[in-house]
Amino acid sequence: AQTVTQSQPEMSVQEAETVTLSCTYDTSESDYYLFWYKQPPSRQMILVIRQEAYKQQNATENRFSVNFQKAAKSFSLKISDSQLGDAAMYFCAYRSGLDAGNMLTFGGGTRLMVKP
Amino acid sequence: KAGVTQTPRYLIKTRGQQVTLSCSPISGHRSVSWYQQTPGQGLQFLFEYFSETQRNKGNFPGRFSGRQFSNSRSEMNVSTLELGDSALYLCASSHNNGEGMNTEAFFGQGTRLTVV
């Protein structure tokens, strides 16, 4: 079974600064997908970014980018120019590429606080 | 396009009762997944339905069940409620790309269930 670990329960960043959230995972599969989801106080999970394991290039979405290290099984999220609206819980998630379904395995989450 | 809609948003039930939660996916999405979120266990996968068939199932007791209708709407039912069933229940829908694989999951705002 796959596991996802987020070792930082809480992180804090100054507005306009850069912060990196860590995620490691354990799998024996070579084909899989990784995601970062954001959960603000409204509770709705919002997809931030996704990465296909077969792609060597790191995914980027505006101020959000990932550092995907397949051999190390590491998938960190970098948020540049942090904004107050970035404050939320962030979850790293894994999905097998072998399964046609959409079962996600989540990490425990990192609470990000943004200081004005 | 309307997002994933979950009803009700809040629910208070007594131990031993049963409860039914509803999820309407994004129009055109045929896959619906359910997750339980608690402070202690985090986000855990319950089950996934695709075209009215359960495709994946998490490690939950048989008191947790679900179904999907022909219009892709899904319901989950919990019988003989326990205090430990108090949680945020999240539903997610995704689109099958015609090759058996799903796009990323889009989540609803969840149903907060409190068992007293």
Side-chain angles (χ1 to χ4, degrees), chain B residues 31-98:
Chain B
S31 168
V32 174
S33 304
W34 289 89
Y35 294 83
Q36 182 196 62
Q37 185 175 20
T38 60
Q41 300 298 318
L43 278 151
Q44 293 185 285
F45 172 79
L46 279 156
F47 28 64
E48 179 192 7
Y49 286 87
F50 178 76
S51 291
E52 302 178 62
T53 302
Q54 188 179 87
R55 185 156 62 177
N56 282 306
K57 189 178 190 308
N59 189 25
F60 278 82
R63 301 184 297 106
F64 291 82
S65 63
R67 61 178 174 167
Q68 187 179 34
F69 302 95
S70 58
N71 62 357
S72 294
R73 189 178 70 86
S74 177
E75 288 181 349
M76 67 163 281
N77 184 78
V78 188
S79 62
T80 320
L81 283 165
E82 300 176 0
L83 294 179
D85 297 334
S86 294
L88 178 66
Y89 289 88
L90 291 165
C91 166
S93 76
S94 59
H95 173 64
N96 188 292
N97 67 2

Side-chain angles (χ1 to χ4, degrees), chain A residues 33 35 37 39 42-47 50 91 95-108, chain B residues 9-10 31 33 35 37 43 45 48 55-56 88 90 94 100-105 107-112:
Chain A
Y33 301 82
F35 305 86
Y37 278 91
Q39 187 179 41
S42 67
R43 310 180 320 202
Q44 184 161 16
M45 301 279 279
I46 301 164
L47 178 67
R50 64 178 278 169
F91 292 94
R95 189 184 92 198
S96 170
L98 301 177
D99 181 11
N102 208 349
M103 186 178 82
L104 294 169
T105 301
F106 285 92
Chain B
R9 292 288 308 278
Y10 301 90
S31 168
S33 304
Y35 294 83
Q37 185 175 20
L43 278 151
F45 172 79
E48 179 192 7
R55 185 156 62 177
N56 282 306
L88 178 66
L90 291 165
S94 59
M101 297 301 291
N102 286 297
T103 62
E104 52 263 30
F107 284 81
Q109 288 190 281
T111 293
R112 171 77 67 188

Side-chain angles (χ1 to χ4, degrees), chain A residues 1-7 22-36 51-55 67-76 92-95 105-107:
Chain A
Q2 296 80 23
T3 58
V4 178
T5 302
Q6 293 178 246
S7 59
S22 301
C23 172
T24 57
Y25 57 95
D26 188 26
T27 184
S28 58
E29 299 173 345
S30 58
D31 183 17
Y32 51 87
Y33 301 82
L34 296 166
F35 305 86
W36 278 99
Q51 174 81 44
E52 292 85 347
Y54 62 84
K55 290 186 178 178
N67 184 5
F68 174 48
Q69 302 288 327
K70 191 171 184 179
K73 295 179 183 174
S74 170
F75 182 60
S76 60
C92 178
Y94 172 102
R95 189 184 92 198
T105 301
F106 285 92

Side-chain angles (χ1 to χ4, degrees), chain A residues 18-21 36-38 46-51 58-67 75-83 85-90 112 114:
Chain A
T18 296
V19 64
T20 299
L21 309 184
W36 278 99
Y37 278 91
K38 168 185 176 181
I46 301 164
L47 178 67
V48 174
I49 201 164
R50 64 178 278 169
Q51 174 81 44
N58 289 324
T60 299
E61 285 288 340
N62 301 314
R63 297 183 295 107
F64 299 88
S65 61
V66 298
N67 184 5
F75 182 60
S76 60
L77 174 70
K78 186 171 85 170
I79 305 174
S80 304
D81 185 26
S82 296
Q83 300 175 0
D86 294 334
M89 284 291 293
Y90 286 81
L112 177 66
V114 181

